[in-house]
Amino acid sequence: MQVEKYAIDNHNSDLLAKHIKKFEFIASDISQVKDIVQKLKDFQVAIPSWALGTGGTRFGRFSGGGEPRTLEEKIEDVGLLHKLNQSGGAISLHIPWDIPQNPTAIKSLAVQHGLRFDAVNSNTFQDQKDQELSYKFGSLQHVDKAVRKQAIDHNIEVIRHGVELGSDSITVWLSDGSCFPGQLNFRKAFQRTLDSLKEIYAALPANWKMFVEYKAFEPNFYSMTVGDWGQSLLYANKLGPQAYTLVDLGHHLPNANIEQIVALLLGEGKLGGFHFNDSKYGDDDLTVGSINPYQLFLIFNELVEGMDARSMNHATDLGWMIDASHNVKDPLEDLLQSVEAIKIAYAQALLVDTKALQQAQDQSDVARAQEILQQAYRTDVRPLVAEARLQAGGALDPLGLFRTHKVREQLIKERGQKTVATGL
Ligand code: LRH
Ligand code: MN
């Protein structure tokens, strides 16, 4: 199912006059508006291949219909989103949920949709039906060398798939840990995990990155062997220059100051990328910016300040990925809202008067510092984000067009009501 260019042009022509009025109003107040719009056009967010169907919990899963049945249909759906918002030009695969049977064909299909392959993800948190040894008590940390070898081989296999698709990074998230005191020797588990990661690291092509994703709890509920940013940084530093930490916004203990963690990891040159989502309690994997948009803004404020301090390229030097699960929303609508929220937070951060903020900080003028930050946060930057989309050939209102074009209805007609996508 495609949304044709003419449909986007018709949609935009209906909304253009109103958009131009709003854009000119905000642009009149911003000196570097051209630069900001260009940065927004360049900023692409990778869509997770495992979040194109309806998610669920142990209590239930309520499918919305028309879900992609194959990797090809998943690439079509990500391509459709990208056609609408010109902001999701990459897909992140999860192996073995999305093994590319014919990598060449898959690669050319992705190119047809203007997509590249971002980080590939390994999976040693589930036992596959044809698997010899179980990961019940962990994978890279496991006391049994044979289980660790099975997990190491899987990660090296994932790298091979990524190389065939033109990806240049692997995300390793380990569900490894313990559920009860006494179950695990923490030091030995750390050392076994590090030694296992070293074997995977040794298999990385020279231009590749390894992202070590940490998580405070779930599915283990007493300890996680990569439980927080400090542990992830410890692994990344001991592994070498191609290893980085990955920040999944939902993987922190309540009230953690994630923007401070981001600032410090960036300062260490060991921040590799993000799994964007939002949460109120645990790893809720909710729509980005749906619960705590101010925190998202503060994170982007640290990112812009920290990346500029290291002359990093905003669009390419970090991994920008979404990791979400959709229990009650249409997966594609949810992803459109998440990309929009990320772009809005980035645009607001680009509006921060960093010189004035620096001055206020140097004078310990706390109230002034807050005023400067919130001036940017309270600016309605949506016309800037829309203008970037318009200039890139996207829709002024992607979600609106998704609905008026009855995309979900057409997907259900094509694929049926009962189709289930692989993933979470
Ligand atoms: C773990 C996680 C990880 C993925 C999985 C789908 O909670 O965030 O990034 O592998 O979700
Ligand atoms: Mn994640």
Side-chain angles (χ1 to χ4, degrees):
M1 117 110 276
Q2 281 311 312
V3 175
E4 302 311 331
K5 186 80 182 73
Y6 72 84
I8 294 176
D9 295 344
N10 292 347
H11 161 87
N12 286 343
S13 56
D14 299 345
L15 300 173
L16 198 56
K18 209 155 155 234
H19 163 68
I20 291 171
K21 207 150 130 278
K22 288 182 179 165
F23 175 66
E24 285 174 351
F25 171 75
I26 187 175
S28 62
D29 214 10
I30 301 171
S31 54
Q32 73 285 21
V33 70
K34 266 198 173 354
D35 173 52
I36 290 178
V37 170
Q38 187 55 51
K39 281 194 167 83
L40 289 170
K41 285 159 75 174
D42 299 341
F43 195 92
Q44 299 290 311
V45 181
I47 306 297
S49 64
W50 60 91
L52 294 164
T54 304
T57 72
R58 56 187 167 160
F59 302 105
R61 182 178 176 284
F62 309 93
S63 174
E67 297 189 9
R69 299 159 288 191
T70 62
L71 179 53
E72 287 77 4
E73 289 185 346
K74 289 187 174 191
I75 290 173
E76 267 173 40
D77 287 3
V78 175
L80 186 147
L81 294 178
H82 188 50
K83 192 90 176 274
L84 291 173
N85 65 16
Q86 293 299 324
S87 305
I91 183 169
S92 182
L93 297 190
H94 218 299
I95 308 290
W97 291 336
D98 302 300
I99 292 179
Q101 302 307 338
N102 175 341
T104 314
I106 287 291
K107 207 173 168 184
S108 66
L109 179 65
V111 169
Q112 278 170 40
H113 288 279
L115 305 177
R116 65 176 182 81
F117 290 92
D118 206 309
V120 284
N121 298 262
S122 59
N123 177 341
T124 58
F125 50 84
Q126 293 170 328
D127 289 346
Q128 307 306 319
K129 60 184 177 333
D130 54 2
Q131 193 172 304
E132 195 194 333
L133 302 167
S134 173
Y135 293 134
K136 178 176 180 180
F137 296 109
S139 60
L140 301 185
Q141 78 168 20
H142 205 288
V143 291
D144 178 344
K145 187 171 176 48
V147 176
R148 299 199 299 275
K149 181 170 183 337
Q150 178 182 272
I152 292 166
D153 292 349
H154 164 69
N155 277 275
I156 294 174
E157 174 75 3
V158 170
I159 292 171
R160 188 183 63 72
H161 284 301
V163 168
E164 287 174 335
L165 294 171
S167 172
D168 60 9
S169 54
I170 180 171
T171 297
V172 180
W173 171 67
L174 302 173
S175 59
D176 294 29
S178 64
C179 275
F180 297 94
Q183 175 184 342
L184 204 59
N185 177 304
F186 298 135
R187 279 184 311 95
K188 291 180 181 169
F190 178 90
Q191 196 54 50
R192 289 192 296 265
T193 302
L194 178 61
D195 295 344
S196 302
L197 284 169
K198 279 183 176 166
E199 291 190 43
I200 300 167
Y201 186 91
L204 288 176
N207 68 325
W208 270 54
K209 292 178 177 177
M210 173 191 282
F211 299 144
V212 181
E213 182 177 3
Y214 60 87
K215 185 173 183 178
F217 63 92
E218 189 205 36
N220 275 295
F221 296 104
Y222 174 61
S223 77
M224 294 286 278
T225 301
V226 189
D228 63 21
W229 69 281
Q231 295 171 48
S232 174
L233 182 61
L234 211 48
Y235 286 111
N237 282 340
K238 289 175 181 288
L239 287 166
Q242 292 175 260
Y244 298 83
T245 63
L246 186 136
V247 177
D248 184 312
L249 301 191
H251 288 188
H252 300 84
L253 295 173
N255 307 323
N257 187 326
I258 303 176
E259 55 270 26
Q260 182 187 23
I261 293 169
V262 166
L264 298 182
L265 290 173
L266 203 44
E268 290 298 306
K270 275 299 189 182
L271 177 63
F274 287 84
H275 277 181
F276 290 112
N277 47 55
D278 210 338
S279 52
K280 187 159 183 60
Y281 304 106
D283 187 20
D284 311 341
D285 279 343
L286 300 175
T287 316
V288 182
S290 60
I291 305 290
N292 196 342
Y294 192 50
Q295 174 182 262
L296 187 67
F297 159 71
L298 293 174
I299 289 169
F300 269 94
N301 177 53
E302 293 302 335
L303 284 167
V304 168
E305 197 269 338
M307 292 180 90
D308 290 351
R310 301 175 74 89
S311 311
M312 292 168 74
N313 178 305
H314 293 184
T316 57
D317 289 352
L318 288 181
W320 309 113
M321 298 167 275
I322 289 173
D323 182 1
S325 176
H326 325 287
N327 299 347
V328 293
K329 283 184 182 179
D330 179 296
L332 299 184
E333 294 191 356
D334 199 330
L335 290 164
L336 285 173
Q337 290 184 310
S338 282
V339 172
E340 178 79 357
I342 291 166
K343 291 247 166 149
I344 286 173
Y346 179 42
Q348 291 166 327
L350 291 172
L351 286 186
V352 172
D353 183 341
T354 46
K355 257 202 246 26
L357 182 61
Q358 182 68 52
Q359 204 181 36
Q361 288 166 343
D362 294 347
Q363 295 157 0
S364 301
D365 184 345
V366 184
R368 174 99 186 94
Q370 179 179 314
E371 287 304 312
I372 293 163
L373 271 188
Q374 295 195 337
Q375 166 58 34
Y377 178 68
R378 291 172 174 159
T379 301
D380 181 2
V381 296
R382 291 175 295 176
L384 295 177
V385 176
E387 176 63 18
R389 239 187 343 262
L390 181 66
Q391 289 184 14
L396 279 168
D397 175 8
L399 187 58
L401 182 54
F402 180 93
R403 293 210 165 173
T404 52
H405 215 69
K406 298 196 175 325
V407 172
R408 180 53 63 191
E409 293 79 351
Q410 293 185 53
L411 288 172
I412 290 171
K413 227 188 264 122
E414 265 178 42
R415 299 169 181 172
Q417 187 69 47
K418 292 266 171 278
T419 54
V420 176
T422 54
L424 273 187

